Amino acid sequence: MAEHRSMQRGALLDAARSLLSEGGTEALTFPALAERTGLARSSVYEYFRSRGAVVEELCEVDIPVWAAEVQAAMEREATPEAKVEAYVRTQLALVGDRRHRAVVAISASELDAGAREKIRAAHGGLVTVVVDALDGMGHERPRLAAMLLQGVVDAAVRRIELGAAEDPQAIIDATVAMALGGVRG
């Protein structure tokens, strides 16, 4: 029984990812989740008490996976500069990924404080990963530089998500150049 519940919970989270990446947070409704999964709407409430609860669980499940991918890419690099470049490129390469698009949709929405705090904490964990590389480059204020660097990455993510006039690869290359130029200071 527990395995069945776990499968249904997984199906609901997967449906939530699709709804979020297709239509943003407005698309994430319990009737839509019920329709996507073939469950009765009352069953959806057995798993999640609110949309916020769905969002919180998605953050808990997906952000660490995404952060681990960024961290793994950085660990494959030998120099601090290459680690910073991997930090930027990996995040931007994940833009088309459904999990990432769901997280971006969540980040842009009006959420309860609990969900916002979980996103902030997860993003904070991602920023912490690059602090050491910036420190290794001899940056005077690596934590501040890391926060600003993440702001540049977030702006590039939004630009790619919007389907801007530029080719995504051009946006990625410009972001890497800006990031490396900026952190070399």
Side-chain angles (χ1 to χ4, degrees):
M1 189 70 197
E3 192 176 317
H4 179 67
R5 281 191 65 80
S6 171
M7 278 173 53
Q8 285 193 327
R9 190 176 204 89
L12 283 165
L13 288 174
D14 207 46
R17 279 182 201 100
S18 293
L19 290 165
L20 285 163
S21 69
E22 291 161 19
T25 46
E26 301 78 49
L28 180 63
T29 65
F30 278 33
L33 282 171
E35 189 182 317
R36 287 279 169 112
T37 55
L39 292 169
R41 198 184 313 183
S42 59
S43 298
V44 177
Y45 282 99
E46 288 175 31
Y47 292 92
F48 299 104
R49 68 188 181 286
S50 65
R51 282 180 359 145
V54 177
V55 164
E56 280 186 41
E57 187 149 335
L58 270 180
C59 291
E60 281 176 27
V61 171
D62 289 351
I63 294 178
V65 171
W66 168 41
E69 287 176 42
V70 173
Q71 199 159 2
M74 290 176 71
E75 284 167 3
R76 288 192 289 273
E77 300 301 334
T79 67
E81 284 88 353
K83 288 180 187 298
V84 170
E85 181 168 347
Y87 175 82
V88 173
R89 283 195 188 279
T90 306
Q91 284 191 68
L92 296 180
L94 290 169
V95 169
D97 182 287
R98 233 163 28 107
R99 286 169 313 170
H100 182 269
R101 297 213 0 224
V103 169
V104 170
I106 291 165
S107 302
S109 71
E110 292 304 305
L111 295 171
D112 63 58
R116 272 202 312 273
E117 193 43 53
K118 286 206 165 85
I119 293 171
R120 247 199 310 279
H123 267 125
L126 202 52
V127 169
T128 302
V129 168
V130 82
V131 171
D132 289 343
L134 293 167
D135 195 36
M137 289 174 75
H139 215 284
E140 276 179 38
R141 300 184 68 190
R143 180 106 191 125
L144 174 61
M147 300 302 278
L148 295 174
L149 173 61
Q150 187 59 45
V152 171
V153 172
D154 291 344
V157 165
R158 281 192 298 279
R159 191 102 189 129
I160 294 169
E161 285 277 335
L162 287 169
E166 307 88 3
D167 172 58
Q169 195 54 54
I171 296 170
I172 292 169
D173 292 341
T175 306
V176 169
M178 180 177 278
L180 290 176
V183 296
R184 284 187 194 117

